[in-house]
Structures are given as structure tokens and as C-alpha cells.
């Protein structure tokens, strides 16, 4: 009995210490997040501003000029469209006006208030798009990963808004894709709690955590397109944005949103370039064929494969050349 009581006291002590440490981590995390956002705002500089709509407040970055406009749409677990596409946008801004918008729940934009379906996402996107473009603009949407599904849905909901589409390893419905009920429990449900406790911050703040998680490899693959200052901003953002409640809501609807565009095709008069990553082609046989199932006019819509992984814009300098070539002339497969 004496040993049992001693054991219970030790367990209680450990539980108490753990609770105190987690509480301290959470308080520090919330304090530091405010500082991080201020630092990010200063980093973005004069090209950045906020735009309010009925749905929320958007963080927007604009650079370049003219009516040839390029907008970027993000991948699923990308904390900020603006930071993720910065090098590509900077390079293209010499010839085009580039606009990057962090959707609701990402970057410095406010949180989303509705379920993250294609319909809701694209209604919000349409509202903000009409505020940053004019009727005279020729708009090219560059979409990475799941945003290819969002964009396919968008061009059918709002025909005539987009002139051409470029997908970077864009998501397509694949065999065996499972849809989920909105009320179904998900293995990521607990992730926002870890975020709020500051545990992701701790992990990304330590050399061991970055190495164990593979994050150091992610940063290494961004070199030399992403300088150290930009890499630091991306790392800092992920300390508070990765697997936040907003991000998890997008993730939980991702399969549904991809499945919703099954059978949809691009309009015959729309120019489309699907840039696919060589590593994805290796991992998923038929990936190029699945991209082409969305085409209705091979004369205007084609694919090109580039060496690299799913995040081609992080490492493939040839991507800039391919985008420029595509805009200047039509090249068949």
C-alpha cells in the first residue's frame, strides 16, 4: 500500500508538471504569434495590403503592372500563398502584374466561417478576385496541387472570368478516391490542439525537431530560389499556421472537393498547361493521363513534365521559362 501511494504521488506530480509546462508553452505561443505576424507584415512591405469583403479580410500582395494578370492559388498544407510563391511571382512580375491572395484561414487573412467546400471557397475567391482585377484584365490562374480542383470548379461557376490556366502538379480525381461525411471523425482532429499548445513551434525551433520531421530537407530543396530571409519567414509562419484549425478544415474537405470535379473538362476555348512533377509520375502511374482527362481541346491544352517533386515551384527554375513560353505561343504535346 505504501508503494502504491508513493507511485500515485509521482504520477500526480508528473501530470501536474506536464500541465504547467503545456500551459506555459501555450501562453508563450499566443504571445509570440502576435510578434511573428507583425514581423511578417513588415517583411511583406509596400506591395502588401488588406482587402475586406463580406466573408472576411484578405491578405493581398501585388507586384508589377499591366492588364496581363497572373494570380496564384495555394496547395493544401501551404501556410501562405504569398510566401510560397514569392520567388516565382517576383520573376514573373517583370513581365506581368502578379497578385497573390492568402485565402481565409491562411497567412494573415482572417479565419473562415463556413464549411470549406468548393462552392464556399470559390464564392469567396470570386468576391476578392473582382476587387483586385478589372474587366480589361486577361487573367491567368496558376494553381498548385488541390487548387487545380478549386480552379476547375471556379471556371464552371464563373465562366468568362479566367483566360487561361496553369496547374503545377494539380490534383485530379484518382481511382479509389474516398469521399467523407462532414461529421466523420478524422485523424487530424487533434492537430489544432497541438498547434494551440505551441508544440509545432517547439518542434520547428529545435534542430532535432526540424531534422526528425524532415523540415530541414524541405528548406534545403528551396535553395537557391528562396533566400535565407524568406526561408526564415516561412519557418516562422509554420510555427503558428501549420495544422491550425482553419488548415485542418480545408484538409478534411479535400477529398470531397477533388471528387466534386470528376468528369468536368476545361472549356474548348481555354488555354491550359498542366505541369507535372517527375517524382509524382513515378509514384502515381497514369498521372499524366489523368491530367489529360480534363482536356477538351488538345490544340490549346497540354501537359509538360519537369524534373522535381510535387512542389515544383520550390526548385524548378525551368518553371518560369515554361510559363512564359506558354503565354507567348501555343505548344502542342
Amino acid at each position: 500500500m505504501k508503494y502504491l501511494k508513493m507511485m500515485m504521488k509521482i504520477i500526480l506530480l508528473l501530470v501536474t508538471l506536464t500541465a504547467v509546462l503545456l500551459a506555459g508553452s501555450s501562453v508563450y505561443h499566443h504571445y509570440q504569434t502576435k510578434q511573428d505576424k507583425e514581423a511578417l507584415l513588415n517583411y511583406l512591405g509596400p506591395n502588401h495590403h488588406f482587402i475586406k469583403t463580406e466573408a472576411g479580410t484578405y491578405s493581398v500582395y501585388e507586384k508589377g503592372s499591366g492588364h496581363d494578370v497572373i494570380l496564384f492559388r495555394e496547395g493544401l498544407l501551404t501556410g501562405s500563398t504569398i510566401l510560397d510563391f514569392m520567388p516565382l511571382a517576383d520573376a514573373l512580375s517583370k513581365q506581368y502584374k502578379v497578385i497573390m491572395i492568402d485565402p481565409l484561414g491562411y497567412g494573415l487573412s482572417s479565419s473562415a466561417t463556413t464549411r470549406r467546400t468548393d462552392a464556399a471557397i470559390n464564392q469567396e475567391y470570386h468576391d476578392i478576385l473582382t476587387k483586385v482585377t478589372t474587366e480589361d484584365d486577361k487573367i491567368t490562374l496558376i494553381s498548385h496541387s488541390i487548387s487545380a480542383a478549386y480552379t476547375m470548379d471556379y471556371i464552371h461557376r464563373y465562366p468568362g472570368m479566367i483566360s487561361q490556366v496553369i496547374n503545377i502538379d494539380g490534383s485530379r480525381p484518382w481511382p479509389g478516391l474516398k469521399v467523407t461525411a462532414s461529421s466523420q471523425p478524422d485523424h487530424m482532429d487533434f492537430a489544432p490542439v497541438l498547434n494551440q499548445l505551441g508544440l509545432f513551434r517547439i518542434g520547428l525551433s529545435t534542430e532535432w525537431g526540424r531534422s526528425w520531421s524532415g523540415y530541414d530537407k524541405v528548406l534545403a530543396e528551396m535553395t537557391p530560389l528562396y533566400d535565407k530571409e524568406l526561408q526564415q519567414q516561412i519557418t516562422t509562419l509554420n510555427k503558428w499556421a501549420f495544422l491550425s484549425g482553419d488548415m485542418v478544415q480545408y484538409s478534411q474537405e479535400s477529398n470531397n472537393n477533388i471528387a466534386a470535379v470528376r468528369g468536368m473538362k476545361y472549356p474548348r476555348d481555354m488555354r491550359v498547361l498542366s505541369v507535372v512533377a517527375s517524382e509524382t509520375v513515378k509514384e502515381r502511374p497514369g498521372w499524366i493521363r489523368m491530367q489529360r482527362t480534363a482536356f477538351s481541346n488538345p490544340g490549346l491544352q497540354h501537359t509538360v513534365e519537369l524534373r522535381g517533386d510535387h512542389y515544383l515551384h520550390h526548385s524548378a527554375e525551368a518553371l518560369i521559362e515554361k510559363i512564359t513560353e506558354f503565354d507567348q505561343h501555343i505548344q502542342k504535346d
Side-chain angles (χ1 to χ4, degrees), residues 294-330:
F295 296 167
S296 60
N297 184 353
L300 295 178
Q301 301 159 4
H302 58 278
T303 61
V304 61
E305 181 178 340
L306 288 183
R307 183 177 180 181
D309 64 12
H310 184 56
Y311 291 86
L312 276 171
H313 51 294
H314 287 176
S315 58
E317 295 185 62
L319 185 59
I320 299 170
E321 179 183 344
K322 292 298 180 184
I323 292 171
T324 304
E325 285 179 358
F326 169 73
D327 191 56
Q328 291 175 347
H329 64 273
I330 300 172

Coordinates of all heavy atoms in Angstrom, one line a residue, residues 294-330:
A294 N -9.1 15.9 -68.3 CA -9.8 17.2 -68.1 C -9.7 18.0 -69.4 O -10.4 19.1 -69.5 CB -9.2 18.0 -67.0
F295 N -9.0 17.6 -70.4 CA -8.8 18.4 -71.6 C -10.0 18.2 -72.6 O -10.5 17.0 -72.7 CB -7.5 18.1 -72.3 CG -6.3 18.4 -71.6 CD1 -5.0 17.9 -72.0 CD2 -6.3 19.2 -70.4 CE1 -3.9 18.3 -71.2 CE2 -5.2 19.5 -69.7 CZ -4.0 19.0 -70.1
S296 N -10.4 19.2 -73.3 CA -11.4 19.1 -74.3 C -10.9 19.5 -75.7 O -11.5 19.3 -76.7 CB -12.6 20.0 -73.9 OG -12.2 21.4 -73.8
N297 N -9.7 20.2 -75.7 CA -9.1 20.7 -76.9 C -7.6 20.5 -76.9 O -6.9 21.4 -76.4 CB -9.5 22.1 -77.1 CG -9.1 22.7 -78.5 OD1 -8.3 22.0 -79.2 ND2 -9.5 23.9 -78.8
P298 N -7.0 19.4 -77.4 CA -5.6 19.2 -77.3 C -4.8 20.3 -78.0 O -3.6 20.4 -77.8 CB -5.4 17.8 -77.9 CG -6.7 17.2 -77.8 CD -7.7 18.3 -77.9
G299 N -5.4 21.0 -78.9 CA -4.7 22.1 -79.6 C -4.4 23.3 -78.6 O -3.4 24.0 -78.9
L300 N -5.1 23.4 -77.6 CA -4.9 24.6 -76.6 C -4.5 24.1 -75.3 O -4.1 24.9 -74.4 CB -6.2 25.4 -76.5 CG -6.7 26.2 -77.8 CD1 -8.0 26.9 -77.4 CD2 -5.6 27.1 -78.2
Q301 N -4.7 22.8 -75.0 CA -4.5 22.3 -73.7 C -3.5 21.1 -73.7 O -3.7 20.1 -74.4 CB -5.9 21.8 -73.1 CG -6.9 22.9 -73.1 CD -8.3 22.4 -73.0 OE1 -8.6 21.2 -73.0 NE2 -9.3 23.4 -73.1
H302 N -2.4 21.2 -72.9 CA -1.4 20.2 -73.0 C -0.6 20.1 -71.7 O -0.8 20.9 -70.8 CB -0.4 20.5 -74.1 CG 0.2 21.8 -74.0 ND1 -0.3 23.0 -74.4 CD2 1.5 22.2 -73.6 CE1 0.5 24.0 -74.2 NE2 1.6 23.5 -73.7
T303 N 0.2 19.1 -71.6 CA 1.0 18.8 -70.4 C 2.5 18.9 -70.7 O 2.9 18.7 -71.9 CB 0.7 17.3 -69.9 OG1 1.1 16.4 -70.9 CG2 -0.7 17.1 -69.5
V304 N 3.2 19.2 -69.7 CA 4.7 19.1 -69.8 C 5.2 18.6 -68.5 O 4.7 18.9 -67.4 CB 5.3 20.5 -70.1 CG1 4.9 21.5 -69.0 CG2 6.8 20.4 -70.3
E305 N 6.2 17.7 -68.5 CA 6.8 17.1 -67.3 C 8.1 17.8 -67.0 O 8.9 18.0 -67.9 CB 7.0 15.6 -67.5 CG 7.6 14.9 -66.3 CD 7.8 13.4 -66.5 OE1 7.1 12.9 -67.4 OE2 8.6 12.8 -65.8
L306 N 8.3 18.2 -65.7 CA 9.5 18.8 -65.3 C 10.1 17.9 -64.2 O 9.4 17.3 -63.4 CB 9.3 20.2 -64.8 CG 9.0 21.3 -65.8 CD1 8.9 22.7 -65.1 CD2 10.0 21.4 -66.9
R307 N 11.4 17.9 -64.1 CA 12.1 17.2 -63.1 C 11.9 17.8 -61.8 O 12.2 19.0 -61.6 CB 13.6 17.1 -63.4 CG 14.4 16.2 -62.5 CD 15.9 16.2 -62.9 NE 16.6 15.4 -62.0 CZ 17.9 15.2 -62.1 NH1 18.6 15.7 -63.1 NH2 18.6 14.4 -61.2
G308 N 11.5 17.1 -60.8 CA 11.3 17.6 -59.4 C 10.2 16.9 -58.7 O 9.6 16.0 -59.2
D309 N 9.9 17.4 -57.5 CA 8.8 16.8 -56.7 C 7.6 17.6 -56.8 O 7.5 18.5 -57.6 CB 9.3 16.5 -55.2 CG 9.5 17.8 -54.5 OD1 9.2 18.9 -55.0 OD2 10.1 17.8 -53.4
H310 N 6.6 17.3 -56.0 CA 5.3 17.9 -56.0 C 5.3 19.4 -55.9 O 4.5 20.1 -56.5 CB 4.4 17.3 -54.9 CG 3.0 17.8 -54.9 ND1 2.2 17.6 -55.9 CD2 2.3 18.4 -53.9 CE1 1.0 18.1 -55.6 NE2 1.0 18.6 -54.4
Y311 N 6.3 19.9 -55.2 CA 6.4 21.4 -55.0 C 7.4 21.9 -56.1 O 8.5 22.5 -55.7 CB 6.9 21.7 -53.6 CG 5.8 21.5 -52.6 CD1 5.7 20.2 -52.0 CD2 5.0 22.5 -52.2 CE1 4.7 19.9 -51.1 CE2 4.0 22.2 -51.2 CZ 3.8 20.9 -50.7 OH 2.9 20.7 -49.8
L312 N 7.1 21.8 -57.3 CA 8.0 22.2 -58.4 C 8.4 23.6 -58.3 O 9.6 24.0 -58.6 CB 7.3 22.0 -59.8 CG 7.3 20.6 -60.3 CD1 6.4 20.5 -61.6 CD2 8.7 20.2 -60.7
H313 N 7.5 24.5 -57.8 CA 7.9 25.9 -57.8 C 8.9 26.2 -56.7 O 9.5 27.4 -56.7 CB 6.6 26.8 -57.5 CG 5.8 26.4 -56.4 ND1 5.1 25.2 -56.3 CD2 5.5 27.0 -55.2 CE1 4.5 25.1 -55.2 NE2 4.7 26.1 -54.5
H314 N 9.2 25.3 -55.9 CA 10.3 25.5 -54.9 C 11.7 25.3 -55.5 O 12.7 25.8 -54.9 CB 10.1 24.5 -53.7 CG 9.0 24.9 -52.8 ND1 8.6 24.1 -51.8 CD2 8.1 25.9 -52.8 CE1 7.5 24.6 -51.2 NE2 7.2 25.8 -51.8
S315 N 11.8 24.5 -56.5 CA 13.1 24.1 -57.0 C 13.3 24.1 -58.5 O 14.4 24.2 -59.0 CB 13.4 22.6 -56.5 OG 12.4 21.7 -57.0
A316 N 12.2 24.1 -59.3 CA 12.4 24.0 -60.8 C 12.4 25.4 -61.4 O 11.4 26.0 -61.6 CB 11.2 23.2 -61.4
E317 N 13.7 25.9 -61.6 CA 13.8 27.2 -62.3 C 13.3 27.2 -63.7 O 12.9 28.3 -64.2 CB 15.3 27.6 -62.3 CG 15.9 27.8 -60.9 CD 17.3 28.3 -60.9 OE1 17.6 29.4 -61.4 OE2 18.2 27.6 -60.4
A318 N 13.2 26.0 -64.3 CA 12.6 25.9 -65.7 C 11.2 26.2 -65.7 O 10.6 26.5 -66.8 CB 12.9 24.5 -66.2
L319 N 10.5 26.2 -64.5 CA 9.1 26.5 -64.5 C 8.8 27.9 -65.0 O 7.8 28.1 -65.7 CB 8.6 26.4 -63.0 CG 7.1 26.5 -62.8 CD1 6.3 25.5 -63.6 CD2 6.8 26.3 -61.3
I320 N 9.6 28.9 -64.7 CA 9.4 30.3 -65.1 C 9.5 30.3 -66.6 O 8.6 31.0 -67.3 CB 10.5 31.2 -64.5 CG1 10.4 31.2 -63.0 CG2 10.4 32.6 -65.1 CD1 11.6 31.9 -62.3
E321 N 10.4 29.6 -67.2 CA 10.6 29.5 -68.7 C 9.3 28.9 -69.3 O 8.8 29.4 -70.3 CB 11.8 28.8 -69.1 CG 12.0 28.6 -70.6 CD 13.3 27.8 -70.9 OE1 14.1 27.5 -70.0 OE2 13.4 27.3 -72.0
K322 N 8.8 27.8 -68.7 CA 7.7 27.1 -69.3 C 6.4 28.0 -69.3 O 5.6 28.0 -70.2 CB 7.4 25.8 -68.6 CG 8.5 24.8 -68.8 CD 8.6 24.4 -70.2 CE 9.6 23.3 -70.4 NZ 9.8 23.0 -71.9
I323 N 6.2 28.8 -68.2 CA 5.1 29.6 -68.0 C 5.2 30.8 -69.1 O 4.2 31.1 -69.7 CB 5.0 30.2 -66.6 CG1 4.7 29.1 -65.6 CG2 4.0 31.4 -66.5 CD1 4.8 29.6 -64.1
T324 N 6.3 31.3 -69.3 CA 6.5 32.4 -70.2 C 6.3 31.9 -71.7 O 5.6 32.5 -72.5 CB 7.9 33.0 -70.1 OG1 8.1 33.5 -68.8 CG2 8.1 34.2 -71.1
E325 N 6.8 30.7 -72.0 CA 6.6 30.1 -73.3 C 5.1 29.9 -73.6 O 4.6 30.2 -74.6 CB 7.4 28.8 -73.4 CG 8.9 28.9 -73.6 CD 9.5 27.6 -73.6 OE1 8.8 26.5 -73.5 OE2 10.8 27.5 -73.8
F326 N 4.5 29.4 -72.6 CA 3.0 29.1 -72.7 C 2.2 30.3 -73.0 O 1.3 30.3 -73.9 CB 2.5 28.4 -71.4 CG 1.0 28.3 -71.3 CD1 0.4 27.4 -72.1 CD2 0.3 29.1 -70.5 CE1 -1.0 27.2 -72.0 CE2 -1.1 29.0 -70.4 CZ -1.7 28.1 -71.2
D327 N 2.6 31.4 -72.4 CA 1.8 32.6 -72.6 C 2.1 33.3 -73.9 O 1.3 34.0 -74.5 CB 2.2 33.7 -71.5 CG 1.2 34.9 -71.5 OD1 0.0 34.6 -71.4 OD2 1.7 36.0 -71.6
Q328 N 3.3 33.0 -74.5 CA 3.7 33.6 -75.7 C 3.2 32.9 -77.0 O 3.0 33.4 -78.0 CB 5.2 33.8 -75.8 CG 5.7 34.8 -74.8 CD 7.2 34.9 -74.7 OE1 7.9 34.1 -75.2 NE2 7.7 36.0 -74.1
H329 N 3.1 31.5 -76.9 CA 2.7 30.8 -78.0 C 2.2 29.4 -77.6 O 2.4 28.9 -76.5 CB 3.8 30.6 -79.1 CG 5.0 29.8 -78.5 ND1 6.0 30.3 -77.9 CD2 5.2 28.5 -78.6 CE1 6.9 29.4 -77.5 NE2 6.4 28.2 -78.0
I330 N 1.4 28.8 -78.4 CA 0.8 27.5 -78.2 C 1.7 26.4 -78.6 O 2.1 26.4 -79.7 CB -0.6 27.4 -78.9 CG1 -1.6 28.4 -78.4 CG2 -1.2 26.0 -78.6 CD1 -2.9 28.5 -79.2

